[in-house]
């Protein structure tokens, strides 16, 4: 089996930095940020700090040079998907494996349509508590990547990436059904991310405040109902699974949506409650909690 000798990361947020740091230790200059002209210079000159330790990363522009790395890991926000497709199309080739850790349940289908010559794996990042402010990233738990192929078979590309993540000291798991795991992660996003952004709540508050947990639960139970209507079997045992994971997170950690609200950035709301409301409408399922969260967060975004 061929090994992965070159890798690129698209996205310099918390996840992009978290994974690129680990990959750079393994590949050195053969790993780099992918960036177009609008971000190239700023990424190239920035010294990031990860848990207070300074680090720089290489940056390359696939619109100006032939790259074709073995692996491209995508860690941008959902609403940037359309804008990054030209970079991905320029950078990828028939031997390129695409790994998206975007939140939500839609990115892989978009990537498969846009990059028919490449292999798209299915993935979700779970259990990290990273907080990024400007160029500084702090975390206490790296979490893991849930990893799979479209038909849940152990393909050569899947095993290559698994072996590579292991060599980079990035924890991963290959579940029996990656599609169920994507919905499980989406359920978490819809619950804790949105409620944290409305209530300005850290993970520590969710760990000890029953009323916060009750609101989070209601948003997630609506997701479970829609999942069932779409053939994905989630249940209350998945809530318990999430509670156990929640207890492992640093109490000062914040969800990505809360960080976006605090920084005055656009959030992934349309990929969370927005997408759930659309799917629920098609199934005739009421989702009043998520409709309320959506309305509140839309106002907070506009303000």
């Amino acid at each position: 089996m061929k090994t992965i000798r070159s890798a690129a990361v698209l996205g310099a947020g918390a996840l992009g930095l978290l994974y690129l740091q680990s990959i750079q230790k393994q590949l050195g200059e053969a790993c780099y940020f992918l960036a177009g002209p609008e971000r190239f210079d700023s990424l190239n000159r920035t010294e990031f700090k990860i848990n207070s330790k300074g680090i720089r990363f290489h940056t390359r522009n696939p619109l100006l040079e032939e790259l074709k790395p073995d692996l491209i890991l995508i860690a941008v926000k959902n609403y940037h998907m359309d804008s990054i497709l030209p970079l991905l199309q320029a950078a990828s080739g028939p031997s390129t494996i695409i790994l998206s850790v975007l939140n939500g349940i839609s990115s892989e289908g978009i990537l498969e349509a846009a990059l028919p010559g490449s292999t798209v794996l299915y993935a979700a990042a779970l259990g990290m508590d990273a907080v990024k402010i400007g160029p500084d990233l702090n975390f206490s738990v790296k979490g893991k990547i849930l990893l799979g192929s479209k038909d849940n078979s152990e393909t050569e590309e899947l095993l290559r990436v698994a072996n590579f993540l292991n060599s980079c000291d990035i924890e991963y798991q290959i579940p029996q059904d990656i599609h169920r795991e994507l919905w499980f992660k989406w359920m978490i996003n819809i619950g804790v991310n949105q409620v944290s952004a409305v209530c300005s709540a850290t993970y520590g508050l969710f760990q000890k405040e029953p009323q916060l947990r009750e609101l989070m639960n209601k948003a997630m139970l609506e997701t479970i109902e829609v999942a069932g209507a779409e053939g994905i079997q989630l249940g209350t045992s998945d809530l318990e699974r999430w509670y156990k994971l929640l207890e492992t997170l640093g109490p000062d950690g914040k969800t990505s949506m809360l960080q976006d609200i605090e920084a005055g950035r656009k959030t992934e709301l349309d990929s969370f409650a927005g997408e759930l409301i659309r799917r629920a409408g098609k199934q005739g399922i009421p989702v009043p909690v998520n409709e309320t969260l959506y309305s509140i967060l839309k106002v907070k975004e506009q303000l």
Side-chain angles (χ1 to χ4, degrees):
M1 183 186 301
K2 293 192 299 183
T3 60
I4 289 175
R5 299 176 181 271
S6 57
V9 171
L10 216 169
L15 285 181
L17 292 178
L18 190 69
Y19 295 132
L20 191 58
Q21 177 197 34
S22 297
I23 295 171
Q24 182 167 275
K25 290 178 182 177
Q26 179 68 14
L27 294 181
E29 293 187 8
C31 88
Y32 42 84
F33 277 126
L34 281 182
E38 67 284 349
R39 297 215 64 201
F40 184 91
D41 288 339
S42 63
L43 288 176
N44 222 22
R45 64 172 177 259
T46 298
E47 180 182 64
F48 296 93
K49 286 187 178 180
I50 300 181
N51 285 346
S52 301
K53 183 178 180 180
I55 185 170
R56 290 184 179 274
F57 299 107
H58 303 285
T59 307
R60 301 180 72 174
N61 182 350
L63 303 177
L64 299 179
E65 58 176 319
E66 187 81 8
L67 294 177
K68 306 299 187 270
D70 295 331
L71 173 68
I72 299 177
L73 189 150
I74 306 171
V76 299
K77 298 289 188 182
N78 268 289
Y79 51 79
H80 287 313
M81 178 61 79
D82 289 342
S83 66
I84 66 170
L85 290 180
L87 286 177
L88 288 170
Q89 289 164 339
S92 60
S95 62
T96 304
I97 302 171
I98 308 295
L99 185 65
S100 165
V101 292
L102 271 68
N103 288 323
I105 54 176
S106 304
S107 66
E108 286 83 3
I110 295 170
L111 292 167
E112 286 170 340
L115 307 169
S118 300
T119 299
V120 177
L121 295 180
Y122 284 56
L126 190 66
M128 70 294 301
D129 59 3
V131 175
K132 181 175 180 285
I133 302 176
D136 298 344
L137 175 73
N138 290 283
F139 67 91
S140 60
V141 182
K142 287 175 68 173
K144 63 184 174 182
I145 295 179
L146 303 174
L147 187 65
S149 64
K150 186 173 185 177
D151 63 359
N152 288 311
S153 63
E154 289 194 351
T155 63
E156 178 182 344
E157 291 85 359
L158 175 63
L159 295 178
R160 284 179 67 197
V161 171
N163 289 337
F164 177 67
L165 294 178
N166 188 58
S167 72
C168 295
D169 195 28
I170 297 174
E171 186 179 350
Y172 72 92
Q173 179 183 347
I174 300 176
Q176 288 186 336
D177 186 350
I178 187 61
H179 301 283
R180 186 184 189 282
E181 295 302 307
L182 291 179
W183 274 80
F184 172 68
K185 172 65 186 297
W186 194 42
M187 177 196 78
I188 294 170
N189 289 147
I190 285 171
V192 71
N193 280 39
Q194 296 186 139
V195 174
S196 72
V198 166
C199 301
S200 300
T202 62
Y203 291 126
L205 288 175
F206 282 96
Q207 290 163 353
K208 65 184 181 182
E209 293 295 339
Q211 289 182 316
L212 269 178
R213 292 170 80 109
E214 182 180 357
L215 181 56
M216 175 183 69
N217 290 350
K218 289 178 178 178
M220 292 195 293
L221 286 169
E222 290 181 351
T223 311
I224 288 173
E225 187 173 0
V226 175
E230 297 206 9
I232 303 293
Q233 299 307 311
L234 296 175
T236 54
S237 62
D238 292 294
L239 298 184
E240 296 297 330
R241 180 182 166 196
W242 159 237
Y243 301 152
K244 291 177 181 178
L245 183 60
L246 175 62
E247 294 304 318
T248 70
L249 303 179
D252 295 327
K254 299 176 181 179
T255 67
S256 59
M257 183 173 275
L258 175 56
Q259 293 178 60
D260 288 339
I261 287 290
E262 289 180 341
R265 295 188 295 258
K266 180 179 173 64
T267 74
E268 294 181 290
L269 177 62
D270 286 325
S271 297
F272 295 167
E275 179 69 14
L276 185 73
I277 291 166
R278 286 189 290 272
R279 289 174 179 262
K282 291 179 181 179
Q283 301 291 346
I285 296 173
V287 286
V289 174
N290 276 283
E291 288 175 347
T292 301
L293 292 172
Y294 183 86
S295 297
I296 294 170
L297 288 165
K298 268 299 178 186
V299 172
K300 290 178 79 78
E301 271 194 349
Q302 292 166 1
L303 293 176

